Amino acid sequence: MTENVIKKLDKFFLAFLIINPFLDVVTGVYIKVLESLSGNNFDTIAMPVTPSLLIRMLVLVLFAAYALISLDKKAIGAALPVAVAWLMSVVGEILFFYSFALYTDVQYIARFAYNLAVILVYMQVFRRMGLPREELLRRLSDVLCYSLLLLSATIVVSYLFGLGYTTYADRYGYRGTRGFFYSGNDITAILMAGLPVVLCAFLQRRDMDSRHFAAYDLSAALTAICLMLIGTKTAFIAVIVTFAVLAACALWRFFGCRERVPVRRMLILLVTMALVFGLMALFSTESIFGEIRTSFQSSGNTWEKEGAATALLSGRQLKLRRAFEMYREGGLYTWIFGVGRGTQSAIIEMDLFEVVIYYGIFGAAAMLWLYLKLGIEFVWKFFKNLPALRRDLMPVACLVSLGLCAGYLIIAGHILFSVTSGFYFSYMLLFGKVLYTEDTRKLCIF
C-alpha cells in the first residue's frame, strides 16, 4: 500500500516538472487581469495570494507527506531545525518587538520550506527512477529547455502586442519589458539559471533529432533575447557571462580537440537570434534595439548620478541598513534568532542578508547548510575532474548557472524565498549532484 502511494507521488512530482512553468505564466496573467478589474496596481513586494501559490503550497504538503510516508528520517531531520529557527524568530517578535504578523511570517518561511523540500524530495524521486546518469541528465535538460521556451515565448509575444509590465517605472522613466511576469527578479533568475545548461546541451549533444534540435536552438535564442528585453543589470550580466564562457569553451574544443560541432552550433544559434531580432523589429511598434540600448546604458547613468552602490543594489542598501540596525540593537537573543520577518514592513530583497537578519545566526546555519554543502561539493568535484571537460562541457554550464545564482542571492535575492525562481535554483543544485553521480540509484545528499 505504502509503496503504491509513493509510486503515484513519484509520477505526480515528475509531471509537476512540466506543469510548473505554466503556473508562472497563469499567475502573471491572473494578476494583470485582477489589476485591470480592480483598477489598482499591487505592490511588487507584497504580492497577493494567487492560485499558483496555493497550488504550490498544496504541493509542499505532498512533499511533507512523501517524506513521512517514505520514512526519510534524514530529510525530516534537515527540515526540523528550520522550523525551530522560524518558531524562535516569532517568539522574539512577541517578546522584544511587540510585533507579530502570523500570515507574513508563515508565508515567508513556507516559501523557503518549499524550495528546500524540492531538493530533499526530488533527490529521492530521481534516485527511484533508476535511469542511467546520461539518460537522467538528458531528461533534466529537456525539462529546462521546454520550460525556458514557454517562459521566454510568453515575453516575446507580450512584447510584440505591447502587453504586460515594464521592468522599470522609476525616476528615469519606463524601460525594459518582463511580459506578464509579476516579478522581474523572479523571471530573470529562472532564465539565468537555465540558460547555461540549455545552451551547452545545444552546443554538444549529438543525439538530437530535428525536433529537439529546433527546440534547444529556439529556447536558448529566445531566453537570451528575453534577458536583454528585461534589461536589468543581472540579466545583461547573465547573457554576457554565459555566452562568453560557453563560446570560449566551444573555441577551446575546436582548437584543442578538433571538434567542430560546438562552434558550428554556436554560429547557428547566433543566426537564429539575428532572425528573431529581425522579425521582432519588423512586427513590433517599438524599436527593440533602442529599448535594449536604453536599458543597458541606464545602469551607467545611475552610477554617474547616484553612485556605484545605488547602481548595483538599486537602493536595497538603505533597507539593509535599517534592518541591520534593528538586528544589531536587538541584543543577544536577536543576534541568535533574528528580528523575524513579521517586524518588517518591506523586505530587504537580498536573500543571504534576510536569512541572517530575520532568523539570526542559528537560522542561517539551519537554513543554509544544505545549500552550501551541495554548492561546495559541486565546486570541489568540478576542479577535481577538470580533465573530463574534454569530453563533456556540462559541468562548466552548471558552474556558470550556480555561480550566477549565488551572486544573485547576495545582491538581489528573490530566490531562496521565491517559489518560482527558488524552484529552479534547487533544481540546478540537484542537476549538479547528478552530474557527478555515476550510479543514480545511489543518489543521495547525506
Side-chain angles (χ1 to χ4, degrees), residues 25-93:
V25 174
V26 171
T27 295
V29 175
Y30 169 82
I31 294 175
K32 191 65 176 179
V33 171
L34 202 62
E35 288 182 338
S36 299
L37 293 176
S38 65
N40 297 320
N41 292 326
F42 297 111
D43 183 272
T44 55
I45 302 303
M47 182 188 293
V49 175
T50 62
S52 66
L53 179 61
L54 293 177
I55 291 172
R56 283 175 167 128
M57 290 301 100
L58 290 175
V59 172
L60 176 59
V61 173
L62 292 179
F63 284 157
Y66 186 89
L68 292 172
I69 293 172
S70 61
L71 295 177
D72 190 341
K73 296 179 181 179
K74 292 181 178 180
I76 296 171
L80 284 178
V82 177
V84 172
W86 172 78
L87 180 62
M88 298 305 290
S89 73
V90 171
V91 170
E93 291 179 29

Side-chain angles (χ1 to χ4, degrees), residues 286-324:
E286 304 292 337
S287 172
I288 182 172
F289 301 108
E291 288 195 17
I292 292 174
R293 183 174 61 253
T294 299
S295 297
F296 188 80
Q297 293 173 345
S298 63
S299 296
N301 295 334
T302 304
W303 187 304
E304 292 178 1
K305 296 178 181 179
E306 302 184 40
T310 300
L312 180 63
L313 301 176
S314 300
R316 296 183 185 92
Q317 72 276 15
L318 302 178
K319 292 188 289 185
L320 174 61
R321 185 182 300 120
R322 289 193 294 268
F324 179 73

Side-chain angles (χ1 to χ4, degrees), residues 87-388:
L87 180 62
M88 298 305 290
S89 73
V90 171
V91 170
E93 291 179 29
I94 299 171
L95 292 179
F96 302 106
F97 299 104
Y98 311 107
S99 174
F100 179 51
L102 180 61
Y103 173 75
T104 301
D105 278 310
V106 169
Q107 185 190 67
Y108 217 59
I109 199 63
R111 293 171 185 269
F112 180 89
Y114 175 84
N115 296 324
L116 183 65
V118 168
I119 297 176
L120 297 171
V121 170
Y122 275 100
M123 186 74 76
Q124 284 198 62
V125 173
F126 295 157
R127 181 177 68 245
R128 289 172 61 88
M129 290 174 70
L131 294 173
R133 184 176 71 95
E134 293 303 321
E135 175 63 16
L136 179 56
L137 287 171
R138 186 188 65 79
R139 295 194 184 189
L140 296 181
S141 299
D142 286 349
V143 168
L144 283 175
C145 171
Y146 288 103
S147 296
L148 265 58
L149 184 57
L150 171 67
L151 297 173
S152 57
T154 303
I155 296 177
V156 170
V157 171
S158 61
Y159 174 82
L160 290 175
F161 287 94
L163 302 173
Y165 300 95
T166 56
T167 305
Y168 289 105
D170 56 20
R171 56 203 176 280
Y172 299 118
Y174 294 87
R175 61 189 185 280
T177 180
R178 49 189 163 95
F180 285 107
F181 296 102
Y182 191 61
S183 170
N185 285 336
D186 273 356
I187 185 60
T188 299
I190 295 172
L191 300 180
M192 174 179 66
L195 176 60
V197 170
V198 173
L199 176 55
C200 183
F202 175 67
L203 294 184
Q204 71 173 13
R205 261 178 54 180
R206 296 177 178 272
D207 61 343
M208 289 184 178
D209 55 25
S210 58
R211 180 174 62 86
H212 281 90
F213 186 93
Y216 273 86
D217 182 24
L218 196 58
S219 179
L222 291 184
T223 299
I225 289 171
C226 286
L227 284 168
M228 288 186 277
L229 285 175
I230 291 169
T232 62
K233 296 176 292 292
T234 311
F236 283 120
I237 290 172
V239 173
I240 294 170
V241 170
T242 298
F243 273 77
V245 171
L246 289 179
C249 288
L251 291 172
W252 169 65
R253 292 284 283 269
F254 178 76
F255 289 107
C257 306
R258 302 301 178 187
E259 186 177 355
R260 298 180 180 182
V261 172
V263 169
R264 185 166 62 242
R265 290 189 179 180
M266 178 64 79
L267 294 175
I268 292 172
L269 177 65
L270 294 176
V271 170
T272 302
M273 290 180 63
L275 291 174
V276 174
F277 266 128
L279 290 173
M280 292 180 69
L282 183 63
F283 290 104
S284 64
T285 57
E286 304 292 337
S287 172
I288 182 172
F289 301 108
E291 288 195 17
I292 292 174
R293 183 174 61 253
T294 299
S295 297
F296 188 80
Q297 293 173 345
S298 63
S299 296
N301 295 334
T302 304
W303 187 304
E304 292 178 1
K305 296 178 181 179
E306 302 184 40
T310 300
L312 180 63
L313 301 176
S314 300
R316 296 183 185 92
Q317 72 276 15
L318 302 178
K319 292 188 289 185
L320 174 61
R321 185 182 300 120
R322 289 193 294 268
F324 179 73
E325 289 175 356
M326 186 176 183
Y327 172 80
R328 183 184 58 190
E329 295 169 1
L332 182 61
Y333 188 95
T334 297
W335 299 343
I336 298 175
F337 298 112
V339 302
R341 169 66 182 91
T343 63
Q344 308 295 301
S345 59
I347 62 173
I348 303 169
E349 296 185 77
M350 300 170 75
D351 281 352
L352 292 184
F353 295 104
E354 287 183 12
V355 171
V356 175
I357 292 175
Y358 297 166
Y359 304 103
I361 298 172
F362 176 82
M367 296 166 72
L368 297 179
W369 74 269
L370 183 56
Y371 287 98
L372 288 171
K373 178 184 185 302
L374 290 174
I376 293 172
E377 181 182 88
F378 174 81
V379 173
W380 180 75
K381 289 183 177 180
F382 176 87
F383 286 104
K384 183 180 178 182
N385 294 277
L386 282 177

